[in-house]
Amino acid sequence: MKHWKNNEIQLCTLLSIKTGGCSEDCSYCAQSARYPTGVNAEELMPTEAVMEVARRAKENGATRFCMGAAWKGVRENTPQFEAVLQTVREVSKLGMEVCVTLGQLSETAAHELKRAGVTAYNHNLDASPEFYPNIVTTHTFEDRLKTIRAVQKAGISVCCGGIIGMGESELDRLKMLAVLVGFDPPPESVPINCLMAMEGTPLEDQPLVGIFPLIRLVATTRIALPRSKVRLSAGRTRLSREAQALCFFAGANSIFYGNKLLTAKNPECEADLDLLGELGFSPQPPRPELHGNPF
């Protein structure tokens, strides 16, 4: 890849710091309080508990630590948000890139996260503007774009992608990608998720998306956004080693690393390192100097 040399793959670890009880109705999400998924609402993890996971992630080779909270959005000047800011400050001392996904965000909150040490904010589009109302009704596609604009104004890198396999058409996937291409600056990373149909959600009976549509989307994203990382995200547990290899050779250069993604399973660290080694890839070295968009 012209803009990504040395066959490096970014290793990111994702932790749910506040699980379940979300008020939103995202049809794919087991954390919505509206669906009988068996995921119970939990309190926000204390900083030290998060730090234990972050230190272990760094020891295992992860260079980005991502924290997600099942919230509709950030409520400023609350004990919960202040606790998140303190956790971010501590994690940033480890020299890792710090990404958070906390739902909708104001410009003021975005600036506070930036000052605390956040280097990237994840806020996926999920789908095309046209298909979006089929999967979420409690907020709009424009609400998501508003948060992304607030993140960019604060000088935080945008991590933004989508989910395939929710019943959308191939054209919907391309329309979602077209929105990402229109970002200025472009997203720093683009997670591509395959739907993990969770029991109790409206999409629990949705059939698995095929491997070839996934590979085509990875390749198209790499061409359309040559300077963005393309991250293999949810759904890797059902991909064979050969299927993952095809995704890497099509242009994916980032993975979520660790055996759990929020509420879904993920491959073990050892299995990932073995596969990358066999394919001639190496983990991307730490980039603690990254604070904002690298372009």
Side-chain angles (χ1 to χ4, degrees):
M1 290 181 284
K2 178 180 179 181
H3 301 287
W4 301 98
K5 303 186 186 301
N6 303 322
N7 285 340
E8 293 175 353
I9 303 294
Q10 181 193 46
L11 304 181
C12 312
T13 293
L14 174 62
L15 174 67
S16 177
I17 61 172
K18 196 286 174 189
T19 302
C22 184
S23 64
E24 302 298 272
D25 69 353
C26 306
S27 298
Y28 52 80
C29 187
Q31 300 198 66
S32 172
R34 298 166 183 260
Y35 309 132
T37 63
V39 175
N40 297 318
E42 298 177 3
E43 294 183 353
L44 184 68
M45 289 178 64
T47 296
E48 189 49 46
V50 175
M51 290 301 296
E52 290 181 12
V53 181
R55 292 187 193 101
R56 187 162 61 248
K58 182 178 181 179
E59 291 170 0
N60 287 336
T63 56
R64 174 178 285 195
F65 191 69
C66 310
M67 295 171 278
W71 289 335
K72 177 181 177 66
V74 166
R75 289 184 292 177
E76 299 161 37
N77 301 315
T78 62
Q80 291 82 4
F81 185 44
E82 293 302 320
V84 169
L85 292 173
Q86 180 57 30
T87 297
V88 168
R89 294 185 191 104
E90 293 302 313
V91 173
S92 66
K93 293 177 183 177
L94 297 177
M96 305 171 78
E97 298 174 35
V98 183
C99 179
V100 293
T101 177
L102 309 172
Q104 295 179 46
L105 202 64
S106 69
E107 289 185 29
T108 299
H111 280 284
E112 289 189 61
L113 288 168
K114 169 73 172 179
R115 287 193 293 271
V118 166
T119 60
Y121 195 86
N122 169 258
H123 202 60
N124 290 332
L125 296 181
D126 293 338
S128 68
E130 294 82 1
F131 190 75
Y132 196 78
N134 295 314
I135 57 170
V136 183
T137 67
T138 48
H139 58 262
T140 66
F141 194 83
E142 178 56 32
D143 288 333
R144 302 196 80 76
L145 295 179
K146 183 177 179 181
T147 289
I148 290 165
R149 288 193 290 268
V151 169
Q152 290 182 319
K153 287 181 179 179
I156 299 174
S157 294
V158 170
C159 173
C160 185
I163 306 170
I164 64 173
M166 298 186 294
E168 77 287 345
S169 67
E170 190 165 56
L171 180 59
D172 281 313
R173 297 168 192 163
L174 294 175
K175 286 182 175 180
M176 177 191 71
L177 187 56
V179 177
L180 294 174
V181 170
F183 286 3
D184 184 18
E188 177 265 341
S189 52
V190 181
I192 297 180
N193 300 274
C194 293
L195 176 70
M196 301 285 283
M198 308 300 280
E199 185 176 355
T201 65
L203 297 180
E204 65 178 339
D205 295 322
Q206 192 67 27
L208 294 174
V209 66
I211 179 59
F212 294 113
L214 171 60
I215 295 170
R216 283 198 296 271
L217 184 59
V218 168
T220 305
T221 304
R222 171 51 62 219
I223 293 168
L225 292 162
R227 295 180 179 271
S228 300
K229 296 187 188 73
V230 179
R231 182 172 303 121
L232 283 184
S233 300
R236 277 205 305 127
T237 50
R238 69 175 187 84
L239 298 181
S240 67
R241 287 162 58 87
E242 293 79 8
Q244 292 183 69
L246 288 172
C247 289
F248 292 131
F249 293 137
N253 62 344
S254 178
I255 59 172
F256 274 127
Y257 177 70
N259 63 2
K260 190 174 183 181
L261 297 181
L262 298 181
T263 60
K265 292 182 179 180
N266 201 48
E268 296 288 342
C269 294
E270 293 81 2
D272 282 335
L273 293 178
D274 287 345
L275 176 59
L276 294 180
E278 284 193 39
L279 296 176
F281 293 109
S282 60
Q284 184 187 73
R287 296 165 62 197
E289 79 284 359
L290 180 59
H291 289 281
N293 199 293
F295 308 129

